[in-house]
Amino acid sequence: MEKDFKKETQKQEKQSFSLSRRHFLMTGLGSCLGFGFLSKAGAEIILPQKRGQDFEEIQEAGNVFEPNLWCRIDEEGFVYIHLVKAELGQHIGSAIARLIAEEMEADWNKIRLVYLDTETRFKGYYCTKDAHSVWESWDIYRQAGAAVKYMMRERAAAIFSTIPEKCLVENGNVSYEGQNLSFGDIVKHGHITRQISPEEMANLPLKDPTAYRFIGMKLQALDIEAKITGRAPYSIDAHFDDMLYARPCLPPTRYGAKVVSVDDTEAREIDGYEGYFILEDPSETIIGWVVVLAHNWFAAVKAADILRIRWTDPVETAVEEKDLQEHAEELLKDSKIGSDIYHDKDVEMLLKTGDNFLDQTYYCDPVAHFALEPLNVLIRKIGDVWEIHSGNHWQSLALGKLAKLLGVSEDKIIMKNYFVGGSFGRKLSSDYLIPAALTSQLLGGRAVKLLFTRSDDMIFDTLRSPSLQRIQASFNGDDKSINAMRYDVVAGWPTLAEAPSYLRKGVKGEYDPASVSGADHWYEVGPFHLRAVCNGLVQRSLRPGWFYGGASGWTLWALESFMDEAADLLHSDPISFRFNLLTGEGRNGGVEPDSVGGARRQAAVLKRLGEVIDWGSINYKLPKDEGIGVACGGGESRDMPTWCALAAHVHVERQKGVVRCKKIWVVIDAGIIIDPDGAEAQIEGAVLWGLSMALFEGAEIKDGLIKARNLNHYTPLRISDVPEIHIEFMENAHKPTGLNGVAVGVVAPAIGNAIFNAVKVRLRKLPMNSEELLKAFDQIQKNKA
Amino acid sequence: MLKRIWIYSFALCAFLGVSFYIYAWHHPILPIIPIKPSYFSSRNIQHGALLAEIGRCAQCHTRRDGAVGAQFAGDYQIKTSFGVIYTPNITPDVKTGIGGWSEEAFARALRQGISRDGRQLYAIFPFAHYTKMTDQDIADLYAYFMTRPQISQIPRQNHVVFPLNWRFLQGWWKLFYLSSGMYKPERHHDPLWNRGAYLAEAVAHCSSCHTPHNEMGAEISSKLYGGAKFEAGYAPALNAHNPSPLPWSEEELYHYLREGRAPLHGNSVRAMGEIIHQDLVHLPDADIHALAHYFADKMRRPEKEQKVVEAKRAFLMQAAHQDLEFARDGDEAARLYQVTCAQCHSNFRQEALPQHSELGLNSFLWMDDPTDFLQIVIFGITSKEGQKGVVMPSFVHSLSDHDIAAIAAYLRRTRTNLPAWTNLEKKVAVIRAQMKSQTIISQ
Amino acid sequence: MTTSFILNGRNVSVNLPKDTPLLWVLRDELHLKGTKFGCGIGECGTCTIHIGGKAARACITLISEVEGAHITTIEGAEAQEEPMRSLQAAWDEVQVPQCGYCQSGQIMQAVLLLKDNPNPTDEEIDSVMCGNLCRCMAYRRIRKAIHLAAEKLNALKTEKRPEKTSPKQQETTSQGEK
């Protein structure tokens, strides 16, 4: 029965995935042309609102014309841009609005953003992930904008009694021989009957980049105002008067412990306490859960603290960090298991020949998401429709799972769109929606707000998996090239845990890109064997999660540390050593339009970085115990590479083993930059995240759970730890690629390489804390002795 | 021979005993017919009310353990090292209170510690201070009490150890420790000083808490205002031994006593917060100035310390600058301090922030016993205790014993040149256990 | 237990257990959702409000502690008062927020920083703002915006100086919380 459930869910996921981006377009044009479209299914988030104005108060004026699925225009000429993406801090609404407004020739002051809830009308793929949003929207929204412009001009020409070619569209206005019609005027006139097929739309001419007014220009993002006045709506703010508050009582380990008994004698003394449920989840996403209900959340918090629950003893899942690492080491040794992404001929043989050989292993601790808005869900049933308020931003995945769980079809569930108070990959998973859905179901659909305390959120976090990587390569000493490389990555597979149908086919077996991406690098290394192994113990005990920066957070750390180690071994300069391997030949040549240029673009950002930091001489000018290190990479995935090169300047305090990062330089090539200021913000964030994970974070696992539960023990980077940062973007006209988290991966290796350049100590464990550094210094002393 | 010695000794003892008994014996004063409230003038009553506030009469004459009793109806529980005493009813109820007391009887009680019926009163009643009051003030106080509502209440039975439950033995105590009589102004001090001294010594009896007591429960006169333990905490020295790093100025003392605000020393908290906001608040400004004037003089430090003080001041005003460096160097306690406390207490000005100054300035950090400092971190400061309306949250639920101990040790280490506090974690646990609300809140 | 206080200029009374953190009173009882919940132990700063003109973490401030106090939340601070006005303008100009969740707290903390210290250095900003976590790591912009706001405020002061009554007015506005 349970197996069937899983299979079915997978099948459904597959289906929703096959509804590609195009699907939006088809549905839209098929059903929503002409007048009369008005949707008020609950309060949608519409931005920007004026001071003191609620979202509900923003309404269309008069008739509304909906030229296609991606926008609508009212009689005052306001253009409402329909967004299926979630606002996670990337100002995605404003970025997408630029695309459509650009081609539409809209007035920026009349742009409004509409964050759509999932609804029947917009059946399609709702997912904000992997920095893909702009890249995915680039064609569709520009084409949609061009279509609006086309229709507006045509209708205006009819009103002016002329031909469209003689009309000029500019700034939300169509003019002809001194006469003007704003978009709003045209809508007021009505009678727009023109239909444009998807094929026609795709063939409409698009603007030349030199004529851009919005793309690449400095504009204020439309979500800022709400965020600095405390009015931005997050799901934690959702409220119904009749709702019950819930807090989970989490089992001693993520899996493996079942509830034996619950005693709430003491809890019943608490004012406002309502009761508890023991949850049974047929999908086995959650096991051993008790949920406490109360009329205010603080009562639920107190009650959950004093509820006496007995669980069965978890055996295998009460792991220590050491167990996970040992298990990974065993898996690494077993060459028969795992999946191959690349397995070229003769790698194993070539590794044994060559002038030099390097074989190194790298280990990364888990990391917690620690999104500032703790996990929360408000769920209720209105009529026969379930409403989910959760900040979850892979709504399509959640819909499939919840539909199965609640025994309804997907169109009976609405996932409301909210601003997300930080996710970093955490709120892609639907695991936290399930307990809320089960609880509300037990209450016949009553509104339930499940809110995690910070420690609950930490315990239930889908951590970034611990990982073990081994890289072996043999070299040609003369031209300092690589003969062959073998790369093994052992880690947890988040996609296997959460959405197994999204695993990818390798040359042997399926693998999870979210656990290995980045190891499929762009260097010319001769025959290459890249193997991904799933650490089953991580899977069974921790449930690994998708994470900001993806697997590049650990793969680039290993790869780029290895590159410096190899350069050192070959007495080569780290930048020129890399540069010579970024030839852009064969599979590293790139594919139009997404990875056009391939490895040569990585070489270009690296070269530029060298110029920016004056690499040739800077290391000689530094004081004692200071060093600069570099690293580069292709961002989060080969499908949509964003090219990064980064240098870090560190100082190492030998006595305490403290590393301080003084400055970071980063050069990025993400094609056309839609929103320069937003792009810089994304890179700043990613660089500091990378720094935080390199030096400040790292979660110890004890008895199957993360040991640090809150900020008194989990110590992410703070404002006082921020170094000077220099950011540069390459200018070109390539298709825009993603920016969210892309620079995360190159930070840690640049720091590690800088440490090596400063004090000649190589660290191969992340985070690089003082314990590791002092250990390494000790080792050097011992070796000397 | 031996027998004779015995006899003489016995006779001497008997003689001394009888003489002492005669000394300690006081005649009862006959009850009077209750006086009608209208007899007293409202001016006298009002002034009496003020004196009662400053004298904190209600504090010890109102029951608080278990149930809250009527004001002045007594039965307040006082635990001493000699046993438990329940205070008498001082409302004008004839049978159970002081309704039958003449003004003469009332004055005798305040001046000599003798009850109307001639019994000795225990010295926990601060008649050693009240004796210094002027006749007029005693008359006003009498007017005030005789016009309170009559409450019939008999206090619970005292449990005082033998032989101290023989009340007449209190006479011994008085023989040694009571110098009866009105306050006599000191000529070489100005009238403001003398007014302050009168208020502090006679009415407000500040030294009851701020002076160490001997085994007999009497203030040690050689250590006047030398600081003493009281209840769960410590009443700091109000003489030249005051523990604060910087001396108290008259002006700051005034603001402290008037508003609970002392940027260079820390705002008022707990008992002192109550005294300032509930009792002293009724005093006219001139009297607060007098108190400030008096105590500024008491706490005056030798001139030669001036340089040391200036150096300390300069160092403490800069202390916040080093915290970030320590935090960046991976000092865990520094990091904890930085994220938990620094947003309020970072002092980058040359003068102290008005509401939440640099913690190195706080007197509690400079005391030998960390209890008071820890209590503040654990219990916080409510809007009513310190500077009105300013709140320091209670960290009882958010910081572990280890965390609080680490922050305390860090501050002591980086701000003072005093020996480190010991056993901090244990002390935190003890204070935490005293917290009435036992709710554990995980976050 | 009934507690009364002055919230954003209005008298408010609530009847709740005395150990209830103020944060939940503001959010769930009084429906002021601009003040956010982050860590619950006063170490992320996202629930920062003003009590008696001083920054305080609402999540660890118990309702029993605030009797009679003046409390201001981001909603109440929206008034045209300095330094809030300049701060919000600077925040907008620098485009500080990313996800925005920590921003109410950051701004409320920054208001107090500028009141205490009208010309903070980087170091001083770091020290005071260190307790405010921004998980999107918009720290560089937070610093930048605070400097910009300080500049704006200084410009205002020099502009106003020639007028007769202005110095005193400034005094009262800049310490308006008291």
Side-chain angles (χ1 to χ4, degrees):
Chain A
M1 178 64 197
E2 279 157 10
K3 268 186 189 162
D4 283 355
F5 181 88
K6 277 188 182 163
K7 238 188 213 164
E8 283 261 335
T9 318
Q10 286 176 25
K11 217 164 58 190
Q12 285 197 349
E13 286 160 13
K14 262 269 174 10
Q15 274 172 2
S16 54
F17 187 50
S18 69
L19 301 175
S20 70
R21 298 175 267 131
R22 272 184 80 75
H23 189 86
F24 284 112
L25 203 64
M26 311 296 275
T27 322
L29 281 166
S31 60
C32 298
L33 266 177
F35 286 96
F37 169 82
L38 269 173
S39 142
K40 278 279 151 204
E44 280 168 322
I45 302 174
I46 303 181
L47 294 180
Q49 82 277 50
K50 293 194 196 88
R51 280 193 172 232
Q53 202 177 17
D54 278 332
F55 297 102
E56 292 82 352
E57 291 168 25
I58 303 175
Q59 279 188 1
E60 297 91 338
N63 271 330
V64 175
F65 167 55
E66 181 161 334
N68 54 48
L69 191 61
W70 304 105
C71 66
R72 58 184 193 257
I73 305 173
D74 72 9
E75 287 190 5
E76 281 181 11
F78 279 103
V79 180
Y80 295 78
I81 294 165
H82 300 165
L83 300 158
V84 294
K85 296 294 177 185
E87 195 61 75
L88 298 153
Q90 75 290 47
H91 312 308
I92 190 60
S94 303
I96 290 174
R98 285 166 190 255
L99 305 181
I100 191 164
E102 185 72 68
E103 296 294 341
M104 189 192 292
E105 299 295 357
D107 174 357
W108 186 255
N109 294 320
K110 296 233 158 154
I111 294 293
R112 283 179 173 168
L113 306 178
V114 184
Y115 293 86
L116 298 180
D117 305 330
T118 63
E119 285 180 63
T120 328
R121 190 188 303 278
F122 296 103
K123 204 176 244 172
Y125 192 55
Y126 286 77
C127 173
T128 311
K129 182 169 175 274
D130 294 342
H132 276 185
S133 298
V134 164
W135 178 68
E136 281 175 10
S137 311
W138 176 244
D139 294 327
I140 305 169
Y141 277 89
R142 282 189 309 147
Q143 286 160 358
V148 174
K149 178 180 163 190
Y150 185 85
M151 292 158 97
M152 284 294 154
R153 186 158 66 170
E154 198 175 65
R155 180 70 191 125
I159 298 167
F160 292 138
S161 311
T162 180
I163 52 165
E165 284 69 26
K166 290 197 173 167
C167 299
L168 181 68
V169 189
E170 214 175 35
N171 212 26
N173 196 62
V174 188
S175 59
Y176 167 69
E177 288 186 346
Q179 305 177 69
N180 281 308
L181 280 171
S182 71
F183 287 0
D185 297 335
I186 299 169
V187 172
K188 232 181 259 171
H189 271 88
H191 303 298
I192 307 178
T193 48
R194 183 71 162 88
Q195 296 207 358
I196 301 179
S197 73
E199 287 70 31
E200 265 182 286
M201 194 158 124
N203 289 326
L204 286 172
L206 295 175
K207 282 172 82 168
D208 185 81
T210 54
Y212 284 163
R213 295 190 304 131
F214 301 136
I215 295 176
M217 305 297 153
K218 186 165 167 69
L219 289 170
Q220 301 299 95
L222 301 171
D223 56 333
I224 300 283
E225 171 85 10
K227 286 175 180 172
I228 62 179
T229 52
R231 284 177 297 144
Y234 303 86
S235 62
I236 197 171
D237 306 330
H239 179 97
F240 298 120
D241 284 339
D242 64 337
M243 71 187 186
L244 278 178
Y245 291 86
R247 183 200 168 191
C249 299
L250 298 170
T253 55
R254 173 97 196 199
Y255 300 121
K258 290 199 165 168
V259 178
V260 178
S261 66
V262 181
D263 172 7
D264 71 345
T265 319
E266 286 167 78
R268 268 184 264 141
E269 300 291 309
I270 290 171
D271 201 19
Y273 171 75
E274 178 75 15
Y276 68 87
F277 284 128
I278 299 172
L279 299 184
E280 295 290 341
D281 172 19
S283 72
E284 291 189 342
T285 310
I286 56 158
I287 292 173
W289 268 56
V290 175
V291 162
V292 169
L293 293 158
H295 291 282
N296 65 71
W297 189 64
F298 191 63
V301 169
K302 287 197 283 188
D305 275 341
I306 55 172
L307 212 60
R308 291 175 196 271
I309 307 174
R310 275 182 51 225
W311 280 279
T312 56
D313 272 343
V315 185
E316 196 204 24
T317 50
V319 291
E320 306 285 311
E321 192 154 354
K322 187 170 63 56
D323 304 326
L324 299 169
Q325 194 174 349
E326 280 169 7
H327 191 70
E329 277 159 14
E330 276 168 37
L331 295 170
L332 188 69
K333 279 183 212 147
D334 186 349
S335 58
K336 288 192 210 82
I337 57 169
S339 310
D340 290 332
I341 292 99
Y342 298 127
H343 195 169
D344 302 334
K345 268 187 195 163
D346 304 329
V347 174
E348 275 67 23
M349 188 267 288
L350 282 167
L351 282 178
K352 288 180 192 127
T353 62
D355 306 322
N356 301 81
F357 176 69
L358 189 61
D359 177 358
Q360 290 298 4
T361 309
Y362 304 86
Y363 182 76
C364 294
D365 271 352
V367 184
H369 290 91
F370 209 106
L372 206 46
E373 180 189 5
L375 293 178
N376 64 84
V377 195
L378 171 57
I379 179 168
R380 69 169 178 181
K381 194 178 185 188
I382 294 290
D384 61 347
V385 174
W386 291 88
E387 240 179 50
I388 319 283
H389 308 249
S390 69
N392 186 286
H393 54 105
W394 193 345
Q395 297 94 320
S396 293
L397 182 69
L399 277 177
K401 293 191 178 189
L402 291 175
K404 185 72 200 164
L405 194 76
L406 297 168
V408 297
S409 61
E410 285 187 27
D411 59 2
K412 294 289 178 220
I413 303 175
I414 297 177
M415 301 281 291
K416 306 292 281 184
N417 203 337
Y418 277 95
F419 283 19
V420 185
S423 166
F424 313 104
R426 178 63 185 98
K427 292 161 192 169
L428 284 166
S429 296
S430 356
D431 57 346
Y432 68 102
L433 307 179
I434 288 168
L438 290 169
T439 308
S440 180
Q441 198 177 30
L442 288 167
L443 291 164
R446 178 165 180 187
V448 173
K449 186 178 195 72
L450 177 72
L451 174 55
F452 290 60
T453 62
R454 174 53 58 189
S455 54
D456 296 342
D457 179 282
M458 286 291 266
I459 292 169
F460 194 62
D461 194 14
T462 55
L463 299 169
R464 185 176 92 167
S465 169
S467 60
L468 181 69
Q469 300 171 79
R470 182 182 180 194
I471 309 179
Q472 298 158 270
S474 73
F475 306 90
N476 181 331
D478 296 332
D479 61 0
K480 308 197 192 286
S481 64
I482 298 180
N483 292 337
M485 180 183 273
R486 176 173 174 158
Y487 194 156
D488 298 279
V489 182
V490 185
W493 288 11
T495 310
L496 179 67
E498 190 67 34
S501 59
Y502 288 79
L503 291 176
R504 278 219 192 161
K505 280 223 156 38
V507 295
K508 183 191 127 193
E510 285 187 315
Y511 71 97
D512 181 2
S515 97
V516 72
S517 176
D520 50 358
H521 55 74
W522 297 81
Y523 290 112
E524 177 51 51
V525 293
F528 185 26
H529 182 185
L530 174 58
R531 180 172 71 122
V533 183
C534 176
N535 187 338
L537 191 58
V538 172
Q539 226 68 22
R540 290 191 294 277
S541 56
L542 296 187
R543 190 176 177 103
W546 290 301
F547 212 89
Y548 190 57
S552 74
W554 63 81
T555 54
L556 291 186
W557 143 255
L559 177 69
E560 289 297 289
S561 296
F562 185 86
M563 282 306 193
D564 254 42
E565 291 197 64
D568 187 52
L569 179 75
L570 302 171
H571 305 291
S572 178
D573 172 76
I575 287 193
S576 51
F577 174 68
R578 286 181 174 84
F579 191 83
N580 294 336
L581 298 174
L582 292 167
T583 54
E585 281 157 21
R587 68 177 158 230
N588 296 327
V591 181
E592 278 273 12
D594 300 326
S595 58
V596 63
R600 295 310 305 162
R601 283 171 76 186
Q602 187 171 337
V605 288
L606 184 63
K607 182 159 170 270
R608 177 65 197 141
L609 179 75
E611 290 162 12
V612 171
I613 60 174
D614 187 18
W615 175 249
S617 57
I618 194 162
N619 261 319
Y620 301 104
K621 294 178 192 160
L622 297 175
K624 193 172 171 288
D625 295 338
E626 293 193 12
I628 289 181
V630 298
C632 60
E636 283 185 52
S637 85
R638 272 183 84 92
D639 301 334
M640 187 201 63
T642 298
W643 310 99
C644 314
L646 183 141
H649 176 182
V650 304
H651 172 259
V652 181
E653 208 283 315
R654 284 174 186 263
Q655 243 53 47
K656 294 180 195 154
V658 176
V659 179
R660 273 204 211 174
C661 180
K662 302 181 79 165
K663 183 163 182 181
I664 282 174
W665 301 260
V666 56
V667 180
I668 303 286
D669 176 359
I672 294 173
I673 303 296
I674 311 281
D675 171 6
D677 186 70
E680 198 176 280
Q682 286 303 308
I683 298 303
E684 278 174 42
V687 163
L688 294 180
W689 254 90
L691 184 59
S692 192
M693 291 194 284
L695 298 177
F696 297 93
E697 295 184 48
E700 195 185 323
I701 302 299
K702 198 152 184 309
D703 299 327
L705 295 177
I706 184 169
K707 195 177 157 201
R709 305 285 164 81
N710 210 329
L711 289 171
N712 46 354
H713 299 291
Y714 198 75
T715 54
L717 176 138
R718 301 272 183 159
I719 195 167
S720 47
D721 306 309
V722 174
E724 202 183 321
I725 306 172
H726 173 94
I727 299 170
E728 228 181 88
F729 291 96
M730 303 291 269
E731 280 183 30
N732 58 45
H734 298 308
K735 178 173 178 179
T737 55
L739 282 162
N740 188 267
V742 291
V744 165
V746 283
V747 182
I751 302 259
N753 294 338
I755 293 172
F756 182 80
N757 293 338
V759 293
K760 295 291 163 222
V761 165
R762 174 58 62 180
L763 297 177
R764 299 193 186 84
K765 182 169 187 283
L766 211 59
M768 295 173 274
N769 50 30
S770 57
E771 200 183 323
E772 291 299 312
L773 202 57
L774 291 176
K775 232 193 289 173
F777 282 134
D778 252 20
Q779 194 60 44
I780 290 176
Q781 287 299 324
K782 269 182 207 156
N783 290 352
K784 270 188 191 161
Chain B
M1 183 68 191
L2 200 67
K3 200 176 173 188
R4 190 167 293 179
I5 291 173
W6 268 110
I7 292 167
Y8 280 139
S9 308
F10 181 79
L12 184 71
C13 285
F15 174 73
L16 285 176
V18 170
S19 343
F20 176 71
Y21 193 79
I22 294 165
Y23 164 79
W25 183 86
H26 291 269
H27 64 89
I29 296 175
L30 288 177
I32 53 164
I33 300 159
I35 305 168
K36 281 194 181 124
S38 55
Y39 169 83
F40 299 100
S41 89
S42 65
R43 242 185 89 196
N44 293 46
I45 296 170
Q46 266 175 23
H47 190 238
L50 177 67
L51 293 166
E53 290 287 357
I54 312 164
R56 310 205 81 208
C57 309
Q59 181 66 26
C60 290
H61 288 280
T62 308
R63 180 178 173 172
R64 273 188 210 84
D65 63 307
V68 176
Q71 199 180 32
F72 300 128
D75 204 23
Y76 174 76
Q77 184 189 54
I78 302 176
K79 286 179 184 158
T80 73
S81 42
F82 312 111
V84 183
I85 294 172
Y86 296 93
T87 58
N89 181 346
I90 54 169
T91 67
D93 183 58
V94 181
K95 276 191 185 155
T96 64
I98 58 168
W101 289 39
S102 63
E103 188 175 328
E104 184 200 353
F106 183 76
R108 186 175 71 171
L110 291 190
R111 292 221 190 276
Q112 299 175 43
I114 309 294
S115 178
R116 184 196 59 77
D117 57 9
R119 282 190 308 158
Q120 296 278 357
L121 293 170
Y122 286 116
I124 193 85
F125 174 50
F127 50 80
H129 290 281
Y130 297 147
T131 187
K132 296 179 182 169
M133 288 170 74
T134 60
D135 289 340
Q136 184 58 52
D137 278 358
I138 288 179
D140 290 349
L141 204 53
Y142 180 70
Y144 174 68
F145 282 117
M146 296 317 268
T147 50
R148 295 309 92 206
Q150 302 173 14
I151 311 285
S152 170
Q153 175 167 299
I154 300 167
R156 287 162 279 176
Q157 189 67 47
N158 291 340
H159 297 285
V160 178
V161 292
F162 177 83
L164 294 175
N165 54 351
W166 290 358
R167 283 186 177 248
F168 78 93
L169 287 176
Q170 288 291 316
W172 275 110
W173 193 96
K174 290 174 184 170
L175 193 59
F176 288 104
Y177 304 116
L178 175 67
S179 59
S180 194
M182 239 184 277
Y183 174 78
K184 287 189 195 73
E186 293 190 20
R187 290 237 178 95
H188 58 283
H189 283 295
D190 56 37
L192 191 64
W193 190 97
N194 277 305
R195 174 66 182 161
Y198 171 73
L199 286 170
E201 304 299 322
V203 192
H205 59 286
C206 309
S207 65
S208 297
C209 288
H210 289 276
T211 301
H213 291 60
N214 62 18
E215 302 78 38
M216 294 304 293
E219 292 173 24
I220 305 171
S221 56
S222 61
K223 290 184 181 168
L224 183 68
Y225 290 122
K229 260 191 100 62
F230 89 103
E231 290 169 13
Y234 197 83
L238 302 181
N239 55 22
H241 298 293
N242 180 267
S244 317
L246 307 184
W248 283 87
S249 70
E250 189 175 326
E251 193 198 346
E252 200 186 12
L253 270 168
Y254 165 76
H255 286 296
Y256 178 76
L257 294 171
R258 183 86 285 178
E259 303 144 28
R261 170 162 73 92
L264 294 171
H265 295 85
N267 297 339
S268 60
V269 292
R270 300 178 299 126
M272 200 58 204
E274 231 173 74
I275 290 169
I276 289 170
H277 293 301
Q278 291 175 23
D279 306 332
L280 297 186
V281 71
H282 302 288
L283 269 189
D285 240 18
D287 281 346
I288 298 285
H289 276 298
L291 280 170
H293 185 65
Y294 173 66
F295 280 111
D297 182 59
K298 284 273 162 198
M299 288 193 274
R300 179 157 299 141
R301 295 184 199 184
E303 288 283 317
K304 60 184 180 190
E305 277 184 26
Q306 192 59 26
K307 267 194 176 165
V308 183
V309 164
E310 277 313 310
K312 251 184 199 170
R313 184 193 177 98
F315 168 73
L316 289 172
M317 289 301 173
Q318 292 296 312
H321 287 275
Q322 52 175 6
D323 295 323
L324 270 184
E325 289 304 306
F326 288 134
R328 288 183 184 132
D329 271 348
D331 182 325
E332 279 177 29
R335 220 176 155 84
L336 198 59
Y337 168 78
Q338 199 63 48
V339 301
T340 314
C341 322
Q343 75 272 6
C344 284
H345 294 288
S346 286
N347 200 127
F348 290 107
R349 287 181 179 181
Q350 277 313 299
E351 72 270 31
L353 290 170
Q355 296 158 330
H356 35 81
S357 48
E358 156 60 39
L359 287 171
L361 295 168
N362 196 295
S363 307
F364 290 156
L365 194 66
W366 297 76
M367 304 221 282
D368 296 336
D369 188 325
T371 307
D372 291 79
F373 182 89
L374 298 176
Q375 280 179 341
I376 300 307
V377 181
I378 296 170
F379 298 113
I381 305 175
T382 69
S383 58
K384 293 189 277 187
E385 281 177 73
Q387 206 174 331
K388 264 246 157 105
V390 173
V391 172
M392 163 158 161
S394 140
F395 285 89
V396 68
H397 298 309
S398 52
L399 293 177
S400 66
D401 294 356
H402 173 85
D403 294 344
I404 295 175
I407 289 173
Y410 172 77
L411 286 168
R412 179 90 167 172
R413 168 158 57 87
T414 54
R415 265 61 174 179
T416 78
N417 46 7
L418 302 172
W421 281 326
T422 52
N423 276 331
L424 275 170
E425 222 172 305
K426 251 190 209 156
K427 286 175 184 160
V428 177
V430 169
I431 299 168
R432 197 191 285 276
Q434 292 162 357
M435 184 107 178
K436 276 181 201 150
S437 145
Q438 291 297 318
T439 331
I440 309 147
I441 301 161
S442 58
Q443 294 286 359
Chain C
M1 177 186 146
T2 306
T3 309
S4 307
F5 48 91
I6 299 116
L7 177 61
N8 297 335
R10 284 185 200 166
N11 288 314
V12 175
S13 280
V14 290
N15 190 3
L16 287 164
K18 62 178 183 177
D19 60 348
T20 310
L22 185 58
L23 176 64
W24 303 108
V25 180
L26 295 174
R27 285 182 56 83
D28 291 342
E29 305 294 327
L30 305 169
H31 302 292
L32 294 176
K33 304 282 190 181
T35 308
K36 303 297 189 209
F37 168 53
C39 70
I41 61 166
E43 289 181 22
C44 77
T46 194
C47 63
T48 304
I49 55 169
H50 298 168
I51 304 179
K54 182 189 144 177
R57 312 295 194 222
C59 71
I60 54 170
T61 304
L62 307 183
I63 187 76
S64 58
E65 295 176 313
V66 299
E67 174 70 41
H70 283 261
I71 297 174
T72 311
T73 67
I74 185 85
E75 291 90 350
E78 260 196 64
Q80 300 294 302
E81 245 176 56
E82 294 294 1
M84 178 55 97
R85 212 169 98 114
S86 292
L87 267 167
Q88 280 178 334
W91 236 255
D92 188 34
E93 207 170 316
V94 178
Q95 303 268 291
V96 176
Q98 289 196 25
C99 87
Y101 193 76
C102 71
Q103 294 296 317
S104 305
Q106 301 274 5
I107 292 173
M108 292 300 273
Q109 185 69 56
V111 166
L112 266 293
L113 164 66
L114 286 186
K115 278 188 180 175
D116 286 342
N117 189 352
N119 281 304
T121 62
D122 272 355
E123 183 86 356
E124 291 162 1
I125 292 175
D126 284 5
S127 189
V128 173
M129 302 301 293
C130 187
N132 288 72
L133 185 75
C134 172
R135 193 51 166 161
C136 301
M137 313 254 178
Y139 295 124
R140 216 162 67 127
R141 289 171 181 237
I142 291 169
R143 259 193 218 153
K144 204 170 151 188
I146 292 174
H147 282 307
L148 181 63
E151 273 171 38
K152 282 176 190 283
L153 284 168
N154 287 335
L156 273 180
K157 274 181 199 161
T158 36
E159 250 171 53
K160 278 190 180 171
R161 199 154 285 158
E163 289 166 39
K164 265 184 196 166
T165 51
S166 61
K168 236 185 181 166
Q169 276 179 351
Q170 273 168 35
E171 189 76 13
T172 40
T173 37
S174 71
Q175 305 196 344
E177 283 296 324
K178 291 182 197 166

